[in-house]
Amino acid sequence: MLKKILKWAGIVLLLLIVTLSITVALRQNLKFDAAYPAITSSKDSAALARGKYLVFGPAHCADCHSPSGTDSLVNAGMEVALSGGRTFVLPVGTVHVPNITSDATGIGNLKDEEIARSLRNGVGYDGRAIIDFMPFHNTSDEDLTAIISYIRTLPPVHNEVPKHEFNMLGKFVKAFFIKPTGPDGAVEKTVTPDSSVAYGKYMANSVANCRGCHTDRDLKTGAFIGEPFAGGFEMESQVDAKYIFHTPNISPDKKTGHIKDWNETTFISRFRKGKLIKQSPMPWGPFSRMSDMELKAIYRYLQTVTPIEKINKPIMEVKS
């Protein structure tokens, strides 16, 4: 009797495994629908200047989309080719950063609205869901137009970047958990730069991605799993893979907040010093291009977020 039960249990288990494997395989190329934002690239000099500033400054596109080996230039806040090719090894597999120059291997064949949809609504030109690691869902229409307008002007660099390589876990996650992420509330047509808390909130959440790195996240899906700005997000150094970084708590908690004793002057001064630990994943180079006004706005906003008492692991440690 026991042998018969075990036999049927084995058959059922095998059928479940086969069914799951087939289902996962069939769901690898899911297509999603999302609205195309009414964004059209511009040749206006002010828009291009704003776009260039954002791309190589607070939006820090160069920190991911620059080729390997250009770290020292990026850290210095310089302008480099955005031809992609960097790799990020995640629990779900290897992610390859795309080429965003105007070459056909980059964005040369994409329409403005296709690029805008991928940034705002998390759906690629081919309908795939994009892993949510870019913060531009609530970027204003004006700034999104500026970014797309400027990258349209980047000199073409021919670089065929491989597609992401998902492992078994990654294929399972991709089949059931990767969904498009869109705006959180209404998107502003324009946001005026100033030193206000409101502008600091915009920069910290929708441009510079302070929240995206200083909030713990699930590296399998990109989902936020921690309290905003309380840190704890683990990242491998792109400069030296033997180092692991844990983002600090930058909420205004009086006990555990990393910047609890900083004032505006201290905050700005730290950004002006640039990257002090060469293995750090913090985009100090691009951020060093931010104006004092914008840094004041971010600092002032951070003082208003919910204080979270949380002690994280050391900022830098050697991978075990």
Side-chain angles (χ1 to χ4, degrees):
M1 183 67 176
L2 180 59
K3 288 184 178 179
K4 189 174 183 180
I5 292 174
L6 291 174
K7 175 184 176 182
W8 279 106
I11 291 173
V12 171
L13 180 60
L14 180 61
L15 286 173
L16 288 174
I17 292 173
V18 171
T19 300
L20 180 61
S21 299
I22 292 173
T23 303
V24 168
L26 291 174
R27 293 176 63 86
Q28 287 308 291
N29 296 302
L30 294 178
K31 304 297 181 185
F32 297 89
D33 193 21
Y36 289 97
I39 299 292
T40 303
S41 59
S42 169
K43 296 187 184 302
D44 177 72
S45 58
L48 294 175
R50 174 68 174 172
K52 181 178 181 179
Y53 169 69
L54 292 171
V55 166
F56 288 112
H60 59 280
C61 306
D63 211 55
C64 286
H65 290 278
S66 60
S68 297
T70 59
D71 301 276
S72 61
L73 299 177
V74 175
N75 291 343
M78 297 178 67
E79 297 160 20
V80 297
L82 303 183
S83 53
R86 288 179 181 265
T87 59
F88 290 90
V89 180
L90 305 177
V92 293
T94 302
V95 172
H96 299 274
V97 181
N99 178 353
I100 58 170
T101 72
S102 55
D103 188 72
T105 58
I107 62 166
N109 293 330
L110 300 184
K111 299 176 182 177
D112 294 336
E113 59 266 31
E114 290 175 324
I115 302 171
R117 184 175 74 160
S118 68
L119 294 173
R120 176 163 291 167
N121 294 320
V123 177
Y125 69 91
D126 54 1
R128 76 192 185 284
I130 295 175
I131 299 175
D132 187 34
F133 282 120
M134 290 190 292
F136 304 114
H137 309 305
N138 280 81
T139 305
S140 72
D141 284 352
E142 185 176 59
D143 279 348
L144 194 59
T145 297
I147 289 170
I148 293 173
S149 298
Y150 177 69
I151 62 174
R152 285 289 194 202
T153 71
L154 294 174
V157 177
H158 189 81
N159 184 27
E160 191 85 45
V161 175
K163 292 184 178 181
H164 303 329
E165 302 167 57
F166 292 97
N167 54 31
M168 289 301 295
L169 173 62
K171 290 178 181 178
F172 179 80
V173 170
K174 183 182 179 186
F176 298 106
F177 298 103
I178 302 297
K179 302 289 193 299
T181 302
D184 178 15
V187 178
E188 300 286 347
K189 293 292 184 183
T190 183
V191 177
T192 302
D194 57 26
S195 59
S196 68
V197 168
Y199 188 68
K201 179 180 181 180
Y202 171 71
M203 292 295 290
N205 290 282
S206 301
V207 179
N209 206 26
C210 309
R211 174 175 177 251
C213 284
H214 287 277
T215 305
D216 198 11
R217 306 183 75 166
D218 183 345
L219 275 172
K220 296 186 293 297
T221 64
F224 289 98
I225 56 175
E227 296 289 344
F229 302 100
F233 182 37
E234 182 178 293
M235 290 182 282
E236 183 180 277
S237 171
Q238 283 291 293
V239 177
D240 190 336
K242 73 180 180 183
Y243 290 101
I244 294 290
F245 282 79
H246 302 94
T247 56
N249 179 355
I250 58 171
S251 78
D253 181 63
K254 297 302 183 183
K255 293 182 180 179
T256 61
H258 185 70
I259 61 173
K260 64 181 186 298
D261 297 322
W262 295 16
N263 56 27
E264 284 184 4
T265 302
T266 310
F267 189 79
I268 294 170
S269 175
R270 175 61 192 92
F271 277 83
R272 295 290 170 249
K273 291 176 182 176
K275 186 166 290 196
L276 301 180
I277 303 172
K278 73 173 184 177
Q279 299 91 350
S280 171
M282 176 85 163
W284 288 109
F287 284 172
S288 69
R289 298 171 72 120
M290 282 195 280
S291 68
D292 286 3
M293 179 188 72
E294 288 183 323
L295 290 171
K296 285 180 181 179
I298 293 172
Y299 175 82
R300 291 171 183 178
Y301 167 65
L302 291 176
Q303 303 312 299
T304 72
V305 305
T306 303
I308 304 296
E309 186 174 344
K310 181 184 179 186
I311 299 175
N312 296 309
K313 293 180 180 180
I315 292 177
M316 181 176 76
E317 63 180 0
V318 178
K319 188 188 299 183
S320 57

